[in-house]
Short mmCIF file of all heavy atoms in Angstrom, two decimals:
data_model
loop_
_atom_site.label_atom_id
_atom_site.label_comp_id
_atom_site.label_asym_id
_atom_site.label_seq_id
_atom_site.Cartn_x
_atom_site.Cartn_y
_atom_site.Cartn_z
N MET A 1 18.26 -14.75 6.98
CA MET A 1 17.73 -15.66 5.98
C MET A 1 18.90 -16.19 5.15
O MET A 1 19.68 -15.41 4.60
CB MET A 1 16.72 -14.92 5.10
CG MET A 1 16.20 -15.74 3.97
SD MET A 1 15.08 -14.91 2.81
CE MET A 1 14.20 -13.75 3.78
N ASP A 2 19.00 -17.50 5.07
CA ASP A 2 20.06 -18.14 4.30
C ASP A 2 19.55 -18.45 2.90
O ASP A 2 18.70 -19.32 2.72
CB ASP A 2 20.50 -19.42 5.01
CG ASP A 2 21.61 -20.14 4.27
OD1 ASP A 2 22.24 -19.52 3.39
OD2 ASP A 2 21.82 -21.32 4.57
N LEU A 3 20.05 -17.72 1.94
CA LEU A 3 19.62 -17.91 0.55
C LEU A 3 20.53 -18.84 -0.24
O LEU A 3 20.37 -18.98 -1.45
CB LEU A 3 19.53 -16.55 -0.15
CG LEU A 3 18.54 -15.55 0.44
CD1 LEU A 3 18.58 -14.25 -0.33
CD2 LEU A 3 17.14 -16.13 0.45
N SER A 4 21.47 -19.48 0.44
CA SER A 4 22.43 -20.34 -0.26
C SER A 4 21.76 -21.55 -0.92
O SER A 4 22.33 -22.14 -1.83
CB SER A 4 23.53 -20.81 0.69
OG SER A 4 23.00 -21.62 1.72
N SER A 5 20.56 -21.91 -0.45
CA SER A 5 19.89 -23.06 -1.06
C SER A 5 18.99 -22.68 -2.25
O SER A 5 18.42 -23.55 -2.90
CB SER A 5 19.06 -23.81 -0.01
OG SER A 5 18.05 -22.97 0.50
N VAL A 6 18.87 -21.38 -2.53
CA VAL A 6 18.10 -20.94 -3.70
C VAL A 6 18.91 -21.26 -4.95
O VAL A 6 20.09 -20.95 -5.03
CB VAL A 6 17.78 -19.43 -3.63
CG1 VAL A 6 17.15 -18.94 -4.92
CG2 VAL A 6 16.88 -19.13 -2.45
N THR A 7 18.26 -21.90 -5.92
CA THR A 7 18.97 -22.27 -7.14
C THR A 7 18.56 -21.38 -8.31
O THR A 7 17.48 -20.76 -8.30
CB THR A 7 18.69 -23.74 -7.52
OG1 THR A 7 17.31 -23.86 -7.91
CG2 THR A 7 18.99 -24.69 -6.37
N LEU A 8 19.43 -21.34 -9.30
CA LEU A 8 19.09 -20.59 -10.51
C LEU A 8 17.87 -21.18 -11.20
O LEU A 8 17.05 -20.44 -11.76
CB LEU A 8 20.28 -20.57 -11.48
CG LEU A 8 21.46 -19.70 -11.08
CD1 LEU A 8 22.60 -19.86 -12.07
CD2 LEU A 8 21.05 -18.25 -10.97
N THR A 9 17.73 -22.49 -11.14
CA THR A 9 16.56 -23.14 -11.73
C THR A 9 15.29 -22.65 -11.07
O THR A 9 14.31 -22.32 -11.75
CB THR A 9 16.68 -24.68 -11.60
OG1 THR A 9 17.84 -25.10 -12.31
CG2 THR A 9 15.45 -25.38 -12.15
N GLN A 10 15.28 -22.57 -9.74
CA GLN A 10 14.10 -22.07 -9.03
C GLN A 10 13.77 -20.65 -9.47
O GLN A 10 12.61 -20.31 -9.71
CB GLN A 10 14.32 -22.12 -7.52
CG GLN A 10 14.38 -23.51 -6.97
CD GLN A 10 14.85 -23.55 -5.52
OE1 GLN A 10 15.47 -22.62 -5.03
NE2 GLN A 10 14.54 -24.65 -4.86
N LEU A 11 14.79 -19.82 -9.58
CA LEU A 11 14.57 -18.43 -10.00
C LEU A 11 14.08 -18.36 -11.44
O LEU A 11 13.17 -17.58 -11.75
CB LEU A 11 15.86 -17.62 -9.83
CG LEU A 11 16.33 -17.46 -8.38
CD1 LEU A 11 17.69 -16.77 -8.35
CD2 LEU A 11 15.32 -16.70 -7.56
N ARG A 12 14.64 -19.18 -12.32
CA ARG A 12 14.19 -19.20 -13.73
C ARG A 12 12.72 -19.62 -13.82
O ARG A 12 11.96 -19.05 -14.59
CB ARG A 12 15.05 -20.16 -14.54
CG ARG A 12 16.40 -19.63 -14.89
CD ARG A 12 17.14 -20.57 -15.83
NE ARG A 12 18.51 -20.15 -15.96
CZ ARG A 12 19.57 -20.84 -15.54
NH1 ARG A 12 19.41 -22.02 -14.96
NH2 ARG A 12 20.77 -20.37 -15.70
N TYR A 13 12.34 -20.63 -13.04
CA TYR A 13 10.97 -21.09 -13.06
C TYR A 13 10.03 -20.01 -12.52
O TYR A 13 8.94 -19.82 -13.07
CB TYR A 13 10.80 -22.38 -12.27
CG TYR A 13 11.46 -23.60 -12.89
CD1 TYR A 13 11.55 -24.78 -12.17
CD2 TYR A 13 11.99 -23.58 -14.17
CE1 TYR A 13 12.14 -25.92 -12.72
CE2 TYR A 13 12.58 -24.71 -14.72
CZ TYR A 13 12.65 -25.87 -13.99
OH TYR A 13 13.23 -26.99 -14.54
N ALA A 14 10.43 -19.32 -11.48
CA ALA A 14 9.60 -18.24 -10.93
C ALA A 14 9.43 -17.13 -11.96
O ALA A 14 8.32 -16.60 -12.14
CB ALA A 14 10.21 -17.69 -9.64
N VAL A 15 10.49 -16.80 -12.66
CA VAL A 15 10.41 -15.77 -13.71
C VAL A 15 9.48 -16.24 -14.83
O VAL A 15 8.67 -15.47 -15.35
CB VAL A 15 11.81 -15.43 -14.25
CG1 VAL A 15 11.73 -14.60 -15.53
CG2 VAL A 15 12.61 -14.70 -13.19
N ALA A 16 9.56 -17.53 -15.19
CA ALA A 16 8.69 -18.07 -16.24
C ALA A 16 7.22 -18.01 -15.82
O ALA A 16 6.35 -17.63 -16.62
CB ALA A 16 9.09 -19.50 -16.57
N VAL A 17 6.93 -18.35 -14.58
CA VAL A 17 5.54 -18.28 -14.10
C VAL A 17 5.07 -16.83 -14.13
O VAL A 17 3.95 -16.54 -14.55
CB VAL A 17 5.40 -18.88 -12.68
CG1 VAL A 17 4.00 -18.62 -12.12
CG2 VAL A 17 5.69 -20.38 -12.70
N ASP A 18 5.92 -15.92 -13.70
CA ASP A 18 5.54 -14.50 -13.73
C ASP A 18 5.30 -14.04 -15.17
O ASP A 18 4.34 -13.33 -15.45
CB ASP A 18 6.63 -13.66 -13.08
CG ASP A 18 6.25 -12.20 -12.99
OD1 ASP A 18 5.13 -11.91 -12.50
OD2 ASP A 18 7.05 -11.35 -13.41
N ARG A 19 6.14 -14.46 -16.07
CA ARG A 19 6.01 -14.04 -17.47
C ARG A 19 4.75 -14.59 -18.12
O ARG A 19 4.02 -13.87 -18.81
CB ARG A 19 7.23 -14.50 -18.26
CG ARG A 19 7.16 -14.13 -19.72
CD ARG A 19 8.38 -14.53 -20.46
NE ARG A 19 8.27 -14.09 -21.85
CZ ARG A 19 9.12 -14.42 -22.79
NH1 ARG A 19 10.17 -15.17 -22.50
NH2 ARG A 19 8.94 -14.00 -24.02
N TRP A 20 4.49 -15.88 -17.93
CA TRP A 20 3.38 -16.54 -18.61
C TRP A 20 2.10 -16.56 -17.79
O TRP A 20 1.05 -16.93 -18.31
CB TRP A 20 3.78 -17.95 -19.02
CG TRP A 20 4.98 -17.95 -19.93
CD1 TRP A 20 6.24 -18.30 -19.61
CD2 TRP A 20 5.02 -17.51 -21.28
NE1 TRP A 20 7.08 -18.12 -20.68
CE2 TRP A 20 6.36 -17.63 -21.72
CE3 TRP A 20 4.07 -17.01 -22.16
CZ2 TRP A 20 6.76 -17.29 -23.00
CZ3 TRP A 20 4.48 -16.68 -23.46
CH2 TRP A 20 5.80 -16.81 -23.85
N ARG A 21 2.19 -16.22 -16.50
CA ARG A 21 1.02 -16.18 -15.59
C ARG A 21 0.28 -17.51 -15.53
O ARG A 21 -0.92 -17.56 -15.33
CB ARG A 21 0.06 -15.04 -15.98
CG ARG A 21 0.69 -13.67 -16.00
CD ARG A 21 1.16 -13.29 -14.61
NE ARG A 21 1.93 -12.04 -14.69
CZ ARG A 21 1.92 -11.13 -13.75
NH1 ARG A 21 1.24 -11.31 -12.66
NH2 ARG A 21 2.65 -10.05 -13.89
N SER A 22 1.05 -18.58 -15.72
CA SER A 22 0.47 -19.92 -15.71
C SER A 22 1.57 -20.93 -15.42
O SER A 22 2.62 -20.90 -16.07
CB SER A 22 -0.15 -20.24 -17.07
OG SER A 22 -0.40 -21.61 -17.22
N PHE A 23 1.34 -21.81 -14.44
CA PHE A 23 2.31 -22.85 -14.15
C PHE A 23 2.40 -23.83 -15.32
O PHE A 23 3.48 -24.29 -15.67
CB PHE A 23 1.93 -23.59 -12.86
CG PHE A 23 2.35 -22.86 -11.61
CD1 PHE A 23 1.59 -21.82 -11.11
CD2 PHE A 23 3.52 -23.20 -10.96
CE1 PHE A 23 1.96 -21.14 -9.96
CE2 PHE A 23 3.92 -22.53 -9.81
CZ PHE A 23 3.14 -21.49 -9.32
N ARG A 24 1.27 -24.13 -15.93
CA ARG A 24 1.25 -25.08 -17.04
C ARG A 24 2.06 -24.56 -18.23
O ARG A 24 2.90 -25.26 -18.79
CB ARG A 24 -0.20 -25.36 -17.46
CG ARG A 24 -0.33 -26.37 -18.59
CD ARG A 24 -1.78 -26.56 -19.01
NE ARG A 24 -2.49 -25.34 -19.34
CZ ARG A 24 -2.38 -24.71 -20.53
NH1 ARG A 24 -1.65 -25.21 -21.48
NH2 ARG A 24 -3.06 -23.60 -20.75
N VAL A 25 1.81 -23.32 -18.62
CA VAL A 25 2.52 -22.74 -19.76
C VAL A 25 4.00 -22.54 -19.42
O VAL A 25 4.87 -22.83 -20.24
CB VAL A 25 1.87 -21.40 -20.19
CG1 VAL A 25 2.68 -20.74 -21.28
CG2 VAL A 25 0.44 -21.64 -20.64
N ALA A 26 4.28 -22.08 -18.20
CA ALA A 26 5.68 -21.89 -17.79
C ALA A 26 6.44 -23.21 -17.84
O ALA A 26 7.58 -23.26 -18.29
CB ALA A 26 5.74 -21.30 -16.39
N ALA A 27 5.80 -24.29 -17.41
CA ALA A 27 6.45 -25.60 -17.44
C ALA A 27 6.71 -26.04 -18.87
O ALA A 27 7.82 -26.50 -19.20
CB ALA A 27 5.57 -26.63 -16.72
N ARG A 28 5.72 -25.86 -19.72
CA ARG A 28 5.89 -26.26 -21.12
C ARG A 28 7.02 -25.46 -21.77
O ARG A 28 7.87 -26.00 -22.47
CB ARG A 28 4.58 -26.07 -21.89
CG ARG A 28 4.63 -26.65 -23.29
CD ARG A 28 3.35 -26.41 -24.00
NE ARG A 28 3.05 -24.98 -23.82
CZ ARG A 28 2.04 -24.33 -24.34
NH1 ARG A 28 1.18 -24.93 -25.10
NH2 ARG A 28 1.85 -23.05 -24.14
N ARG A 29 7.03 -24.16 -21.54
CA ARG A 29 8.06 -23.30 -22.12
C ARG A 29 9.45 -23.58 -21.54
O ARG A 29 10.45 -23.28 -22.18
CB ARG A 29 7.71 -21.82 -21.91
CG ARG A 29 6.44 -21.38 -22.58
CD ARG A 29 6.67 -21.25 -24.07
NE ARG A 29 5.46 -20.75 -24.70
CZ ARG A 29 5.46 -19.97 -25.75
NH1 ARG A 29 6.59 -19.62 -26.31
NH2 ARG A 29 4.33 -19.59 -26.29
N SER A 30 9.48 -24.12 -20.33
CA SER A 30 10.74 -24.44 -19.66
C SER A 30 11.17 -25.88 -19.92
O SER A 30 12.20 -26.33 -19.38
CB SER A 30 10.62 -24.21 -18.15
OG SER A 30 10.29 -22.86 -17.88
N ASN A 31 10.38 -26.61 -20.71
CA ASN A 31 10.67 -28.01 -21.02
C ASN A 31 10.81 -28.88 -19.79
O ASN A 31 11.76 -29.65 -19.63
CB ASN A 31 11.93 -28.12 -21.89
CG ASN A 31 11.75 -27.46 -23.23
OD1 ASN A 31 10.74 -27.66 -23.90
ND2 ASN A 31 12.71 -26.65 -23.61
N VAL A 32 9.84 -28.72 -18.87
CA VAL A 32 9.82 -29.50 -17.64
C VAL A 32 8.36 -29.82 -17.33
O VAL A 32 7.45 -29.15 -17.84
CB VAL A 32 10.50 -28.70 -16.50
CG1 VAL A 32 9.71 -27.47 -16.13
CG2 VAL A 32 10.77 -29.55 -15.29
N SER A 33 8.13 -30.84 -16.52
CA SER A 33 6.75 -31.16 -16.17
C SER A 33 6.20 -30.09 -15.22
O SER A 33 6.95 -29.46 -14.47
CB SER A 33 6.65 -32.54 -15.52
OG SER A 33 7.22 -32.52 -14.23
N GLN A 34 4.90 -29.92 -15.24
CA GLN A 34 4.27 -28.93 -14.37
C GLN A 34 4.49 -29.26 -12.89
O GLN A 34 4.83 -28.36 -12.11
CB GLN A 34 2.77 -28.79 -14.71
CG GLN A 34 2.07 -27.69 -13.95
CD GLN A 34 1.59 -28.14 -12.58
OE1 GLN A 34 1.19 -29.28 -12.39
NE2 GLN A 34 1.65 -27.25 -11.62
N PRO A 35 4.37 -30.53 -12.47
CA PRO A 35 4.63 -30.82 -11.05
C PRO A 35 6.07 -30.50 -10.64
O PRO A 35 6.30 -30.01 -9.53
CB PRO A 35 4.35 -32.32 -10.93
CG PRO A 35 3.38 -32.60 -12.03
CD PRO A 35 3.80 -31.70 -13.16
N ALA A 36 7.04 -30.73 -11.52
CA ALA A 36 8.43 -30.43 -11.19
C ALA A 36 8.64 -28.93 -11.04
O ALA A 36 9.31 -28.47 -10.11
CB ALA A 36 9.36 -30.99 -12.26
N LEU A 37 8.07 -28.15 -11.94
CA LEU A 37 8.18 -26.70 -11.86
C LEU A 37 7.51 -26.19 -10.60
O LEU A 37 8.08 -25.39 -9.85
CB LEU A 37 7.56 -26.05 -13.10
CG LEU A 37 7.64 -24.53 -13.13
CD1 LEU A 37 8.08 -24.05 -14.50
CD2 LEU A 37 6.32 -23.90 -12.76
N SER A 38 6.32 -26.68 -10.32
CA SER A 38 5.57 -26.25 -9.14
C SER A 38 6.34 -26.59 -7.86
O SER A 38 6.39 -25.78 -6.92
CB SER A 38 4.20 -26.91 -9.12
OG SER A 38 3.44 -26.44 -8.04
N MET A 39 6.96 -27.75 -7.82
CA MET A 39 7.72 -28.16 -6.64
C MET A 39 8.91 -27.22 -6.42
O MET A 39 9.19 -26.82 -5.29
CB MET A 39 8.22 -29.59 -6.80
CG MET A 39 9.01 -30.10 -5.61
SD MET A 39 9.60 -31.78 -5.82
CE MET A 39 10.82 -31.54 -7.11
N GLN A 40 9.59 -26.85 -7.49
CA GLN A 40 10.74 -25.96 -7.35
C GLN A 40 10.31 -24.56 -6.90
O GLN A 40 10.99 -23.93 -6.09
CB GLN A 40 11.53 -25.90 -8.65
CG GLN A 40 12.27 -27.16 -8.97
CD GLN A 40 13.27 -27.54 -7.89
OE1 GLN A 40 14.02 -26.71 -7.39
NE2 GLN A 40 13.27 -28.81 -7.51
N VAL A 41 9.20 -24.07 -7.42
CA VAL A 41 8.70 -22.77 -6.98
C VAL A 41 8.27 -22.84 -5.51
O VAL A 41 8.55 -21.92 -4.73
CB VAL A 41 7.55 -22.27 -7.88
CG1 VAL A 41 6.91 -21.00 -7.31
CG2 VAL A 41 8.06 -22.00 -9.30
N SER A 42 7.67 -23.94 -5.12
CA SER A 42 7.28 -24.12 -3.71
C SER A 42 8.50 -24.16 -2.81
O SER A 42 8.49 -23.58 -1.71
CB SER A 42 6.48 -25.41 -3.54
OG SER A 42 5.22 -25.29 -4.17
N LYS A 43 9.57 -24.82 -3.24
CA LYS A 43 10.81 -24.84 -2.45
C LYS A 43 11.39 -23.44 -2.32
O LYS A 43 11.89 -23.06 -1.27
CB LYS A 43 11.84 -25.77 -3.09
CG LYS A 43 11.56 -27.23 -2.87
CD LYS A 43 12.68 -28.07 -3.48
CE LYS A 43 12.44 -29.54 -3.25
NZ LYS A 43 13.54 -30.37 -3.79
N LEU A 44 11.32 -22.67 -3.40
CA LEU A 44 11.79 -21.29 -3.36
C LEU A 44 10.98 -20.50 -2.33
O LEU A 44 11.53 -19.78 -1.51
CB LEU A 44 11.67 -20.64 -4.75
CG LEU A 44 11.96 -19.14 -4.83
CD1 LEU A 44 13.41 -18.85 -4.46
CD2 LEU A 44 11.63 -18.61 -6.22
N GLU A 45 9.67 -20.65 -2.38
CA GLU A 45 8.80 -19.94 -1.43
C GLU A 45 9.09 -20.36 0.01
O GLU A 45 9.10 -19.52 0.91
CB GLU A 45 7.33 -20.20 -1.77
CG GLU A 45 6.90 -19.55 -3.07
CD GLU A 45 5.49 -19.90 -3.48
OE1 GLU A 45 5.06 -21.06 -3.27
OE2 GLU A 45 4.80 -19.00 -4.03
N GLU A 46 9.34 -21.64 0.20
CA GLU A 46 9.66 -22.14 1.54
C GLU A 46 10.96 -21.52 2.05
O GLU A 46 11.04 -21.08 3.20
CB GLU A 46 9.79 -23.66 1.50
CG GLU A 46 10.01 -24.29 2.85
CD GLU A 46 10.08 -25.80 2.76
OE1 GLU A 46 9.27 -26.41 2.02
OE2 GLU A 46 10.96 -26.37 3.43
N THR A 47 11.95 -21.44 1.19
CA THR A 47 13.23 -20.84 1.57
C THR A 47 13.06 -19.36 1.90
O THR A 47 13.63 -18.87 2.88
CB THR A 47 14.26 -21.01 0.43
OG1 THR A 47 14.45 -22.40 0.18
CG2 THR A 47 15.59 -20.37 0.80
N LEU A 48 12.27 -18.67 1.09
CA LEU A 48 12.06 -17.24 1.30
C LEU A 48 11.11 -16.95 2.47
O LEU A 48 11.11 -15.85 3.03
CB LEU A 48 11.50 -16.60 0.03
CG LEU A 48 12.40 -16.63 -1.20
CD1 LEU A 48 11.67 -16.05 -2.40
CD2 LEU A 48 13.70 -15.89 -0.94
N GLY A 49 10.27 -17.93 2.79
CA GLY A 49 9.32 -17.75 3.88
C GLY A 49 8.10 -16.93 3.50
O GLY A 49 7.42 -16.39 4.37
N VAL A 50 7.84 -16.82 2.20
CA VAL A 50 6.68 -16.07 1.70
C VAL A 50 6.09 -16.78 0.48
O VAL A 50 6.79 -17.54 -0.19
CB VAL A 50 7.03 -14.61 1.30
CG1 VAL A 50 7.53 -13.81 2.48
CG2 VAL A 50 8.04 -14.58 0.17
N HIS A 51 4.83 -16.50 0.21
CA HIS A 51 4.23 -16.97 -1.04
C HIS A 51 4.57 -15.95 -2.12
O HIS A 51 4.32 -14.76 -1.96
CB HIS A 51 2.71 -17.10 -0.91
CG HIS A 51 2.30 -18.25 -0.05
ND1 HIS A 51 2.37 -19.56 -0.47
CD2 HIS A 51 1.85 -18.30 1.22
CE1 HIS A 51 1.97 -20.35 0.48
NE2 HIS A 51 1.65 -19.61 1.54
N VAL A 52 5.13 -16.43 -3.20
CA VAL A 52 5.52 -15.55 -4.31
C VAL A 52 4.35 -15.35 -5.26
O VAL A 52 4.19 -14.27 -5.82
CB VAL A 52 6.75 -16.12 -5.05
CG1 VAL A 52 7.12 -15.26 -6.25
CG2 VAL A 52 7.94 -16.25 -4.10
N PHE A 53 3.52 -16.40 -5.41
CA PHE A 53 2.39 -16.33 -6.34
C PHE A 53 1.08 -16.65 -5.65
O PHE A 53 1.03 -17.48 -4.76
CB PHE A 53 2.59 -17.32 -7.51
CG PHE A 53 3.77 -16.98 -8.36
CD1 PHE A 53 4.94 -17.71 -8.26
CD2 PHE A 53 3.74 -15.93 -9.25
CE1 PHE A 53 6.05 -17.42 -9.03
CE2 PHE A 53 4.83 -15.61 -10.03
CZ PHE A 53 6.00 -16.35 -9.92
N ASP A 54 0.03 -15.99 -6.09
CA ASP A 54 -1.33 -16.29 -5.65
C ASP A 54 -1.89 -17.31 -6.62
O ASP A 54 -2.30 -16.98 -7.73
CB ASP A 54 -2.18 -15.02 -5.64
CG ASP A 54 -3.59 -15.25 -5.15
OD1 ASP A 54 -3.99 -16.43 -4.95
OD2 ASP A 54 -4.32 -14.26 -4.97
N ARG A 55 -1.88 -18.56 -6.19
CA ARG A 55 -2.30 -19.66 -7.06
C ARG A 55 -3.82 -19.76 -7.18
O ARG A 55 -4.33 -20.48 -8.02
CB ARG A 55 -1.74 -20.98 -6.54
CG ARG A 55 -0.23 -21.10 -6.69
CD ARG A 55 0.28 -22.25 -5.83
NE ARG A 55 1.68 -22.57 -6.05
CZ ARG A 55 2.70 -21.91 -5.54
NH1 ARG A 55 2.47 -20.85 -4.77
NH2 ARG A 55 3.93 -22.28 -5.78
N SER A 56 -4.54 -19.05 -6.35
CA SER A 56 -6.01 -19.11 -6.40
C SER A 56 -6.58 -18.26 -7.52
O SER A 56 -7.76 -18.37 -7.83
CB SER A 56 -6.61 -18.67 -5.06
OG SER A 56 -6.39 -17.28 -4.85
N ARG A 57 -5.77 -17.42 -8.10
CA ARG A 57 -6.24 -16.54 -9.17
C ARG A 57 -5.86 -17.12 -10.52
O ARG A 57 -4.87 -17.82 -10.67
CB ARG A 57 -5.62 -15.15 -9.01
CG ARG A 57 -5.87 -14.61 -7.61
CD ARG A 57 -6.38 -13.23 -7.45
NE ARG A 57 -6.52 -12.40 -8.57
CZ ARG A 57 -6.06 -11.16 -8.62
NH1 ARG A 57 -5.36 -10.67 -7.62
NH2 ARG A 57 -6.28 -10.42 -9.67
N ASN A 58 -6.68 -16.80 -11.50
CA ASN A 58 -6.40 -17.24 -12.86
C ASN A 58 -6.55 -16.04 -13.77
O ASN A 58 -7.67 -15.54 -13.91
CB ASN A 58 -7.35 -18.37 -13.27
CG ASN A 58 -6.92 -19.04 -14.54
OD1 ASN A 58 -5.86 -18.72 -15.08
ND2 ASN A 58 -7.73 -19.94 -15.04
N PRO A 59 -5.52 -15.53 -14.37
CA PRO A 59 -4.18 -16.09 -14.38
C PRO A 59 -3.48 -15.91 -13.03
O PRO A 59 -3.87 -15.07 -12.23
CB PRO A 59 -3.47 -15.28 -15.46
CG PRO A 59 -4.18 -13.97 -15.50
CD PRO A 59 -5.61 -14.29 -15.14
N VAL A 60 -2.44 -16.72 -12.81
CA VAL A 60 -1.64 -16.64 -11.60
C VAL A 60 -1.00 -15.26 -11.54
O VAL A 60 -0.53 -14.75 -12.56
CB VAL A 60 -0.53 -17.73 -11.63
CG1 VAL A 60 0.42 -17.57 -10.47
CG2 VAL A 60 -1.15 -19.11 -11.64
N VAL A 61 -1.01 -14.66 -10.36
CA VAL A 61 -0.41 -13.34 -10.20
C VAL A 61 0.57 -13.36 -9.02
O VAL A 61 0.38 -14.15 -8.08
CB VAL A 61 -1.46 -12.23 -9.98
CG1 VAL A 61 -2.33 -12.06 -11.21
CG2 VAL A 61 -2.31 -12.51 -8.76
N PRO A 62 1.58 -12.51 -9.06
CA PRO A 62 2.48 -12.44 -7.92
C PRO A 62 1.76 -11.84 -6.72
O PRO A 62 0.88 -10.99 -6.87
CB PRO A 62 3.59 -11.50 -8.38
CG PRO A 62 3.41 -11.29 -9.83
CD PRO A 62 2.00 -11.65 -10.16
N THR A 63 2.15 -12.30 -5.54
CA THR A 63 1.64 -11.69 -4.32
C THR A 63 2.37 -10.36 -4.11
O THR A 63 3.28 -10.03 -4.87
CB THR A 63 1.92 -12.59 -3.11
OG1 THR A 63 3.33 -12.74 -2.97
CG2 THR A 63 1.25 -13.95 -3.25
N GLU A 64 2.00 -9.67 -3.09
CA GLU A 64 2.69 -8.42 -2.76
C GLU A 64 4.18 -8.70 -2.52
O GLU A 64 5.03 -7.95 -2.98
CB GLU A 64 2.06 -7.80 -1.52
CG GLU A 64 2.51 -6.40 -1.22
CD GLU A 64 1.75 -5.79 -0.08
OE1 GLU A 64 0.51 -5.90 -0.06
OE2 GLU A 64 2.40 -5.21 0.81
N HIS A 65 4.48 -9.80 -1.81
CA HIS A 65 5.88 -10.16 -1.58
C HIS A 65 6.56 -10.60 -2.87
O HIS A 65 7.75 -10.38 -3.05
CB HIS A 65 5.97 -11.29 -0.54
CG HIS A 65 5.66 -10.85 0.83
ND1 HIS A 65 4.45 -11.12 1.44
CD2 HIS A 65 6.38 -10.14 1.73
CE1 HIS A 65 4.45 -10.60 2.65
NE2 HIS A 65 5.61 -10.00 2.85
N GLY A 66 5.81 -11.25 -3.75
CA GLY A 66 6.36 -11.71 -5.01
C GLY A 66 6.75 -10.58 -5.95
O GLY A 66 7.67 -10.72 -6.74
N GLU A 67 6.04 -9.49 -5.84
CA GLU A 67 6.37 -8.33 -6.67
C GLU A 67 7.76 -7.84 -6.32
O GLU A 67 8.53 -7.45 -7.11
CB GLU A 67 5.37 -7.20 -6.45
CG GLU A 67 4.05 -7.42 -7.13
CD GLU A 67 4.10 -7.26 -8.63
OE1 GLU A 67 4.93 -6.48 -9.14
OE2 GLU A 67 3.33 -7.93 -9.30
#
């Protein structure tokens, strides 16, 4: 697995989503739009080859791989 394309921004956004358990709140706290934050987390997941968050749950929770 080549992790060279993982950015600090993607990791920061993932940590924010984990902390706030909400893409909307994480985006607001990160001073970025929700679609931009979501896109970066999706790119991170694509690079890792796993889903980091279960978006079907409210609040958002990490998946087993995300933990």
Side-chain angles (χ1 to χ4, degrees):
M1 176 184 327
D2 180 16
L3 299 178
S4 64
S5 63
V6 172
T7 67
L8 288 176
T9 299
Q10 291 169 340
L11 296 174
R12 284 186 189 114
Y13 291 170
V15 168
V17 172
D18 184 50
R19 179 178 183 188
W20 302 106
R21 303 297 172 146
S22 165
F23 279 82
R24 181 182 54 80
V25 175
R28 188 181 49 176
R29 297 286 183 147
S30 300
N31 296 313
V32 66
S33 71
Q34 186 275 325
L37 181 135
S38 184
M39 181 181 69
Q40 290 300 315
V41 172
S42 291
K43 284 183 179 182
L44 173 64
E45 292 175 323
E46 185 178 318
T47 300
L48 297 176
V50 298
H51 289 285
V52 177
F53 296 104
D54 181 352
R55 290 165 172 80
S56 68
R57 307 228 355 229
N58 192 5
V60 173
V61 295
T63 62
E64 190 174 314
H65 288 103
E67 284 287 331

